[in-house]
Amino acid sequence: MNFHQGMMMEPASTGVVLKRGIFGQLSEAADAHHSGQIANLIVNCTGLSAGKLGGVEDKSMIPARGQTVLVRNEAIGIVGGSGTDDGDDEVCYVIPRAAGGGTILGGCYQKGNWDSQFDPNLANRIMKRAVELCPSLTDGKGIEHLSVIRHGVGLRPVRLGGTRLEKEKVSGIWVVHNYGHGGYGYQSSYGCSQAAVKLVEKTLALRARL
Ligand SMILES: Cc1cc2nc3c(=O)[nH]c(=O)nc-3n(C[C@H](O)[C@H](O)[C@H](O)COP(=O)(O)OP(=O)(O)OC[C@H]3O[C@@H](n4cnc5c(N)ncnc54)[C@H](O)[C@@H]3O)c2cc1C
């Protein structure tokens, strides 16, 4: 079995084999099996790249750009998740990192925006909103008292129409797709991966009967 997420592996009982690779075509993942034989099945978890990967080219994949500021200042807890007066695609949240190491200030949800560079004006708005919402961050002293560790930009892998969790035959090889989780990929990861494993088992059982 191949797990196509830039890597392939075998079940632990037979010894785990991990390989990394970058594929232009989905079917190339099957050829990269460490046994030298063609893999029975590919699991496609390529996120936003599912829009461009040959053999998938899912045109309903779009980025929803997010931008954050990581600061040293401490917040009392998670605050926000609200809309703002700065436009429909800007939001305000303050999230202390679970294991310490600062607080994340966000953010935005800019559909169709591929820009990987941080926008300093947006960063200022993010910090101003965070301090207004949560003045204790800087003891009420304003954004100049925020101690910035770094700025972050990420592209959420949005699939118009929702996550794709299904099987399909591509170039004669069974593929189980599991991508397009937008801004809820962590929260839904256990459920989606369990559903994907069930699909893999069903597909391999079906293949064995043929
Ligand atoms: C700004 C932002 C905010 C977020 N907020 C939340 C949140 O509040 N809650 C939440 O649950 N989640 C959140 N997420 C996570 C998000 O929801 C994503 O869904 C999740 O990270 C995507 O995981 P994934 O494994 O599908 O894709 P990815 O993490 O992108 O993994 C895709 C993998 O496929 C590999 N790959 C792609 N193309 C190829 C190729 N051609 N060849 C080989 N390998 C390839 C890549 O190397 C990568 O390892 C957020 C993400 C961002 C960016």
Side-chain angles (χ1 to χ4, degrees), residues 3 41-47 50 56 58 60-61 157 159-169 174-182 184-185 187-203:
F3 286 83
L41 188 140
I42 299 168
V43 180
N44 173 29
C45 308
T46 49
V56 187
D58 186 337
S60 56
M61 288 302 296
R159 183 167 184 265
L160 304 171
T163 300
R164 186 174 186 196
L165 239 174
E166 63 180 359
K167 64 181 167 65
E168 180 193 22
K169 225 173 201 179
W174 279 111
V175 176
V176 169
H177 298 286
N178 181 13
Y179 65 83
H181 305 89
Y184 48 87
Q187 286 139 276
S188 63
S189 57
Y190 280 90
C192 285
S193 52
Q194 279 167 359
V197 166
K198 277 189 187 152
L199 263 179
V200 167
E201 286 166 354
K202 265 191 193 168
T203 310

Side-chain angles (χ1 to χ4, degrees), residues 5-6 21-23 45-46 49 53 154 156-157 181-187:
Q5 195 165 8
I22 297 176
F23 306 112
C45 308
T46 49
S49 299
L53 179 64
R156 302 172 182 91
H181 305 89
Y184 48 87
Y186 292 117
Q187 286 139 276

Side-chain angles (χ1 to χ4, degrees), residues 81-84 87-93 106-109 126 129 156:
S82 58
T84 72
D88 289 345
D89 59 2
E90 294 196 21
V91 289
C92 180
Y93 55 83
C108 64
Y109 192 93
I126 288 172
R129 291 191 298 248
R156 302 172 182 91

